[in-house]
Amino acid sequence: MTTRAVVKGIGHYLPERIVPNSEFEAKLDTSDEWIKARSGIERRHFVAEGQTTSDLATRAARAALADAGMQADDLDAIILATSTADLTFPAAATMVQANLGMTRGFAFDVQAVCAGFVFALANANGMILSGQAKRVMVIGAETFSRLMDWSDRSTSVLFGDGAGALILEAQEGSGDNTDRGILSSDLNSDGRHRDLLYVDGGVSTHSTGYLRMQGREVFRHAVEKLAQTAHAALDKVGLTGGDVAWIVPHQANLRIITATAQRMQVPMDRVVVTVQDHGNTSAASIPLALSVGRDRGQIKQGDLIVTEAIGGGLAWGAVVLRW
Ligand code: ACO
């Protein structure tokens, strides 16, 4: 027998305000056609004034708890993947913990930008396999609209706000790749590429800063590295693209999603795509897509799923799980 971290519930939250591409046409030298053709994005959600990442995360967390039929105190830990925490400290995860009324266990943030949710899932899996925790809530939540330079058409049209959460629980499996739960992961980073995608401010420089990206270069790395990391994670458990029921990719750009699926030899009707409605929500994009994919009836119990993501760092990785 082998311990597995099995998904017990999922939920998401999107802020009320929906911003179509046409809103940018009035302010920038851009067009709905360009944004759709180059990125696949049609609209995104933006937070209201005063709304924070922990607010979004709390709503997604409540939805996941309801879906699992659990109470907050049933959880041993909360891991929140975000690059846009409410405050420099404490961790936004502790704010979610308090909002949920959870008075035991522990909570902390993980920062690996768009790859954050994949890194957080792998961490949660490690804690469950080592016996440190039995039930872990893994959240991805972001307010990237707070990091936008609204005069930069090459970045401000691409990002959105939102949150998704899932609950993992220790369960005994047979130890082979037919088990439900997380089967493998592959994590990578290469700090030599930090200048390709970064925020030009931070605590040490007394500023918040704005997101800066060399889009074409990030695109090139993404297409090469995402299929590689997905294959590496599948290889570890003797699986291939042909075994995959759903790729649930980081939703940055439809062209990256399509190119990665092609390299993995997985047809697009086995890829969950939400980028048209959410834009790039960084660490929130995979749990949002998992939750929406489940609600649409795409993802069903027993399906083999590959999640993959790349972002600032560069940091990238993949997780293979059976729903
Ligand atoms: N509207 C109109 N024209 C634009 C816009 C816009 N919004 N933005 C850029 N352009 C122009 C450029 O100025 C350029 O003009 P030029 O040829 O006169 O110089 C032209 O369009 C082409 O620009 P490219 O950057 O080459 O366009 P590309 O096809 O690469 O698409 C994009 C840009 C969408 C940013 C793409 O490169 C991309 O998606 N990159 C990867 C993003 C990503 O995956 N990020 C990782 C995760 S994010 C994270 O970790 C936080």
Side-chain angles (χ1 to χ4, degrees), residues 39 41 112-118 142 144 158-160 197 211 213 218 222 226 229 247-258 260 271-275 278-290 306-312 315-319:
S39 72
I41 297 164
V113 202
C114 296
F117 190 75
V118 166
E142 302 277 19
F144 259 54
L158 300 175
F159 292 89
L197 177 52
L211 183 143
M213 177 165 73
V218 176
L226 288 174
T229 187
I247 301 178
V248 184
H250 171 46
Q251 311 279 325
N253 185 311
L254 185 58
R255 291 185 294 139
I256 296 174
I257 293 171
T258 308
T260 304
V271 183
V272 176
V273 180
T274 55
V275 69
H278 303 164
N280 182 346
T281 57
S282 188
S285 93
I286 288 176
L288 268 167
L290 284 168
V306 180
T307 63
E308 31 88 346
I310 187 166
W316 68 101
V319 168

Side-chain angles (χ1 to χ4, degrees), residues 65-253:
L65 282 170
D67 188 52
M70 290 182 194
Q71 307 297 317
D73 273 339
D74 294 333
L75 301 172
D76 300 315
I78 297 174
I79 306 179
L80 170 52
T82 189
S83 303
T84 48
D86 305 24
L87 301 174
T88 301
F89 70 77
T94 58
M95 300 180 185
V96 176
Q97 183 187 25
N99 290 346
L100 295 177
M102 178 181 163
T103 53
R104 54 178 292 279
F106 58 95
F108 63 97
D109 291 354
V110 162
Q111 213 276 49
V113 202
C114 296
F117 190 75
V118 166
F119 278 58
L121 267 187
N123 269 282
N125 186 46
M127 283 183 177
I128 286 174
L129 298 199
S130 69
Q132 186 148 28
K134 277 198 157 46
R135 286 176 176 163
V136 182
M137 165 108 69
V138 189
I139 309 173
E142 302 277 19
T143 48
F144 259 54
S145 62
R146 306 288 193 224
L147 294 176
M148 291 301 113
D149 171 355
W150 299 112
S151 67
D152 179 3
R153 66 176 182 173
S154 72
T155 53
S156 61
V157 303
L158 300 175
F159 292 89
D161 303 332
L166 67 73
I167 297 169
L168 295 169
E169 184 179 70
Q171 204 170 288
E172 291 308 311
S174 63
D176 64 30
N177 64 23
T178 64
D179 284 345
R180 288 189 64 208
I182 295 181
L183 300 176
S184 65
S185 61
D186 180 65
L187 304 182
N188 311 270
S189 63
D190 186 344
R192 289 174 302 173
H193 301 303
R194 63 185 176 275
D195 292 342
L196 296 184
L197 177 52
Y198 65 102
V199 171
D200 62 1
V203 187
S204 296
T205 53
H206 291 287
S207 63
T208 305
Y210 296 108
L211 183 143
R212 307 292 177 202
M213 177 165 73
Q214 295 179 38
R216 206 176 300 181
E217 273 302 294
V218 176
F219 191 100
R220 201 175 56 76
H221 281 283
V223 168
E224 178 200 310
K225 292 182 164 58
L226 288 174
Q228 251 170 27
T229 187
H231 277 136
L234 284 165
D235 263 2
K236 287 182 185 177
V237 280
L239 296 167
T240 68
D243 299 306
V244 172
W246 294 102
I247 301 178
V248 184
H250 171 46
Q251 311 279 325
N253 185 311

